[in-house]
Amino acid sequence: MASILNLYRKLLELPLSVLVKNNPIPHNPIEELCLNVQQPMVYVLPYTSQTDLVIFRKNCLNVGLPDPFEKNDIGGISLPRFVFLDEGQRIFKSKGAKKETIAIFNKYLELHRTFADLDVQLIPVSVLWGRSPGHENKTGLPNLRLLNGIQKFAAAIWFGRDTFVRFSQAVSLRYMVNEHGSDEKIAAKLARVAKIHFSKQRISATGPRLPNRQAMFNKLLQSPAILKAIEDEAKSKKISIEKAQKEAYKILDEIAANVSYEGLRVADRFLRWLWNKLYQGIDVQHADRVRKLALDGHEIVYVPCHRSHIDYLLLSYVLYHQGLVTPHIAAGINLNFWPVGAMFRRGGAFFIRRTFKGNRLYSTIFREYLAELFHRGYSVEYFIEGGRSRTGRLLAPKTGMMSMTLQALLQRQTRPISVVPVYVGYEHVLEVDTYAKELRGAAKEKENAGLVIRVIKKLRNLGKGYVNFGEPIVLSSYLNQHFPEWKEPHSEEERSSWFNKAVDSVSNQVMVNINNAAAVNAMNLTGLALLSSRQRALTREQLLEQLASYQQFLQNVPYSSDIIVPTETPEEMLDHVLNLDRVGVVQEKDNFGEIIRLERNYAVLMTYYRNNIQHLFVLPSLVASIVLHYESIQKSLVFDAVNKIYPFLQSELFLHFSQGEVNEQVENIIAELQRQNIIQCNENILSINKPHVRALQLWSAGIREILQRYYITVSILQNDPSISRGVLEKESQSVAQRLSVLHGINAPEFFDKAVFSAFVASLKEQGYFDDENHIDMQRLNALSEILSHMISTEVGLTIRSAVEKTEDFVE
């Protein structure tokens, strides 16, 4: 029987190797699941299938795991390396597979009593043949059901490229023995737990059935909230109920997605081609966090940062290949144009207008539709920034969608809701040229088919892309910790008091967690170094030294445990950037050696990539700037200066250090800058290490423009304490525009009114002035004194001169 079985497997290997592609999830299970290859492994498959076994073995060998066909030899006893949990619809059935498996588990458990250092790892593995969840109005199960031989052959032809092998977290038999003993009941329990696990895994891979769109519309249009909104619409516009109902249906049809699994498969083929054309690879990190949430039955809300229109496509593609359900995506109504609007809708997009203001019917329908998605268990994705960042920084969060998410939690949601912040980054963004034009004053180009064709025509080498899943926020746990009153019954007025604060708090935490998961790459490190030089040029040696300094700092004083730090050498990073298309970094030679220069017309573009990671370096830049400009300063005064400025940086750049953690981080920063010989520390006095003053200058430049902006606003406020908040923001912007022209400041956010509005709001929040505009001049003067020390003489003169002229102009 064994020889016939082996022959049958051999016969299967050739056709399956041609028809079925290797798709392990995760892609590197040894590293991502922390598997110990020095200890024996036992693979647990859900049911008897030689076809699945052959496909699984191929993937297993491909990722470097032990061959399942070989046996584990423990103390002279040979035991199988794989087991089937249940029988399947197969030619070679394992009669009583469950009994055989429990017997094998028992033998392994007995060995643990004999060998104290033994720790066998049970690894649940399943082969997913396609991922269609099925439709609500159709009978039958999705394609994860047990298939007979003919069905499996058809599936291999049709789903060959969409067949995934899912490796799950290993169960330690040593732990089981130590905690629960090693009798037969434990073996049976292991089998039961594995069966439940496979059931959860199937649901997490396919998600709930796809909705009958018309049936969903009928249900929603009969909901009390929408019926009331229709009635109010008819009264306010003096139209018939029938006409208001038609308008409601039209709005719902405009909003709702129309997901098609076949559409997703077609999109997958296109996107695989697109990424291969555009990028040299997509680096995905921490997807295991999301898979765990899905297995635990959480409703998942993905909240990525928004760099490019292709963020929608990239995240869905990544999730699909990580064995997760692709989400319903809130997309701007501007993307609902022919022909891509219908394609996006089939891929899960539901469309949202830019504003709901003054349209109660629309806002009610949208809120009820979103709540229905949550109620049915569909994962959802939305961009909390509201639009794409033109500067490369995170934008202030728009809280409307988060408010609706929390409302869903409070109303009828039974499953836990987890918000997953996602950092999406690129070494080259497709639209960055357009962003630069818009920042110079050009009108935003309306999305249309012609724009899509032009973008596709410009396909070129754009480096790497990055998707890093940040620390999830389980909403119920977050509210329990920060707003414990959320579960208590409240009147509408009482609820709004804490609810609005909760929405703002969760939204801000999402932004912080996105920044915690930043992906550092060769492009933004090179841009950071070159833009730190006033001439946007460095010798090759200087640039390589600075890249090494940045890299060592990120490794030795990590901003967070989630950031991605490049592992390439500085030489490899620089060569990589020089080989990218249209980034403006050029290499020149003179009699003294090589110079790396950033072309002037690319300076604004490069600030975009620098700004992606500015938050990682702003604290060390502040410390470097203090030492550089004071030349010699007591360490205690450095801490004092940092603590005065940090709250504004924290608010502007969504930094994660609490006020109590800042001093410890600054201590680590000082130690690292000292270790790199950039600064000196003698008897608690920090001073410049003159042989390395150029490195100190480059480090300090990372915060130069931020401090200049702060000094502008503080100087205007000092000069005219009675100035209104609106005028303060406007005049700050005017002075910044003048400064940018006179001193060649290319950063597009430098004179953005939004950053001045945020800084003025932070001044108020920190108590520098109150609602009646009463200024705490003592604190303001102390802040101004610190800022003025870190502003160059010529820039300080320009600011003070402009502030005086502003006063004359206002008068």
Side-chain angles (χ1 to χ4, degrees), residues 617-626 669 698-704:
F617 294 98
V618 73
L619 262 182
S621 294
L622 177 58
V623 172
S625 184
I626 293 170
I669 289 167
L698 294 174
W699 268 102
S700 70
I703 198 173
R704 180 172 58 211

Side-chain angles (χ1 to χ4, degrees), residues 290 293-294 298-304 315 319 325 327-330 350 370-371 373-375 377-384 401-406 408-409 413 415-422 469-475 506 510 514:
V290 192
L293 291 173
H298 285 234
E299 173 65 35
I300 300 175
V301 180
Y302 299 97
V303 185
L315 187 52
L319 290 170
V325 182
H328 280 62
I329 308 162
F350 59 97
L370 185 64
L373 293 181
F374 288 140
H375 180 64
Y378 301 118
S379 57
V380 172
E381 172 190 338
Y382 52 76
F383 295 92
I384 199 168
M401 292 292 288
M402 186 60 71
S403 176
M404 293 183 200
T405 304
L406 286 182
L409 177 69
Q413 183 64 25
R415 300 169 70 210
I417 299 178
S418 286
V419 177
V420 179
V422 187
F469 295 93
E471 183 67 34
I473 302 168
V474 181
L475 288 183
V506 173
V510 166
I514 289 174

Side-chain angles (χ1 to χ4, degrees), residues 136 211-220 376:
E136 286 179 341
N212 178 322
R213 199 164 183 262
Q214 189 59 52
M216 180 190 277
F217 283 13
N218 293 339
K219 179 185 175 184
L220 285 169
R376 291 171 180 242

Side-chain angles (χ1 to χ4, degrees), residues 483-755:
F483 300 91
E485 66 271 30
W486 78 281
K487 285 187 175 180
E488 300 170 9
H490 295 96
S491 66
E492 190 63 32
E493 185 178 341
E494 288 174 333
R495 194 190 80 154
S496 64
S497 173
W498 70 263
F499 182 81
N500 294 335
K501 291 177 183 176
V503 169
D504 290 340
S505 179
V506 173
S507 300
N508 189 76
Q509 191 62 49
V510 166
M511 309 309 280
V512 169
N513 287 12
I514 289 174
N515 266 347
N516 285 353
V520 184
N521 57 60
M523 181 73 165
N524 45 39
L525 282 183
T526 302
L528 174 64
L530 290 175
L531 290 170
S532 295
S533 168
R534 290 187 184 276
Q535 295 75 32
R536 300 181 300 280
L538 292 167
T539 67
R540 185 181 181 91
E541 291 77 14
Q542 285 175 331
L543 180 52
L544 291 175
E545 285 176 9
Q546 195 62 21
L547 290 177
S549 180
Y550 292 149
Q551 194 175 30
Q552 289 171 35
F553 179 85
L554 291 171
Q555 291 165 346
N556 297 334
V557 191
Y559 178 82
S560 78
S561 59
D562 287 345
I563 64 168
I564 300 174
V565 180
T567 55
E568 298 86 359
T569 66
E571 290 81 2
E572 290 169 337
M573 285 193 279
L574 179 55
D575 290 341
H576 173 70
V577 172
L578 290 170
N579 288 324
L580 292 177
D581 294 337
R582 299 182 64 181
V583 298
V585 178
V586 296
Q587 183 174 253
E588 299 174 348
K589 287 186 177 181
D590 61 14
N591 293 336
F592 303 99
E594 294 179 353
I595 294 174
I596 310 299
R597 179 173 59 84
L598 177 62
E599 293 180 345
R600 184 178 181 83
N601 56 323
Y602 281 92
V604 173
L605 303 184
M606 191 59 85
T607 62
Y608 184 96
Y609 303 108
R610 177 202 65 185
N611 288 351
N612 288 174
I613 60 166
Q614 188 176 30
H615 64 285
L616 303 179
F617 294 98
V618 73
L619 262 182
S621 294
L622 177 58
V623 172
S625 184
I626 293 170
V627 175
L628 179 68
H629 290 93
Y630 280 84
E631 296 188 9
S632 181
I633 183 172
Q634 288 183 11
K635 187 188 282 190
S636 60
L637 295 179
V638 173
F639 286 109
D640 181 61
V642 169
N643 280 293
K644 282 187 170 64
I645 295 172
Y646 179 74
F648 308 113
L649 300 175
Q650 182 181 28
S651 176
E652 180 176 335
L653 296 173
F654 303 104
L655 306 181
H656 75 86
F657 303 108
S658 67
Q659 201 69 39
E661 296 169 334
V662 172
N663 285 354
E664 182 182 352
Q665 184 69 6
V666 170
E667 191 72 65
N668 294 335
I669 289 167
I670 290 171
E672 177 61 18
L673 293 178
Q674 188 181 356
R675 189 195 68 79
Q676 292 190 26
N677 293 318
I678 294 173
I679 63 174
Q680 294 176 327
C681 182
N682 294 308
E683 297 180 356
N684 285 325
I685 301 293
L686 302 182
S687 59
I688 298 171
N689 186 10
K690 292 186 178 178
H692 293 87
V693 68
R694 184 56 173 151
L696 185 64
Q697 290 171 337
L698 294 174
W699 268 102
S700 70
I703 198 173
R704 180 172 58 211
E705 290 148 8
I706 294 175
L707 297 178
Q708 289 170 354
R709 277 194 286 103
Y710 291 174
Y711 188 56
I712 288 170
T713 301
V714 168
S715 296
I716 294 172
L717 198 54
Q718 280 182 301
N719 194 59
D720 183 7
S722 63
I723 192 170
S724 71
R725 180 169 167 173
V727 174
L728 175 61
E729 293 169 6
K730 185 178 178 181
E731 297 307 329
S732 295
Q733 184 185 25
S734 297
V735 174
Q737 286 173 324
R738 180 179 180 85
L739 195 67
S740 69
V741 173
L742 293 175
H743 295 274
I745 299 170
N746 294 300
E749 75 281 357
F750 185 72
F751 46 83
D752 182 0
K753 187 180 179 183
V755 297

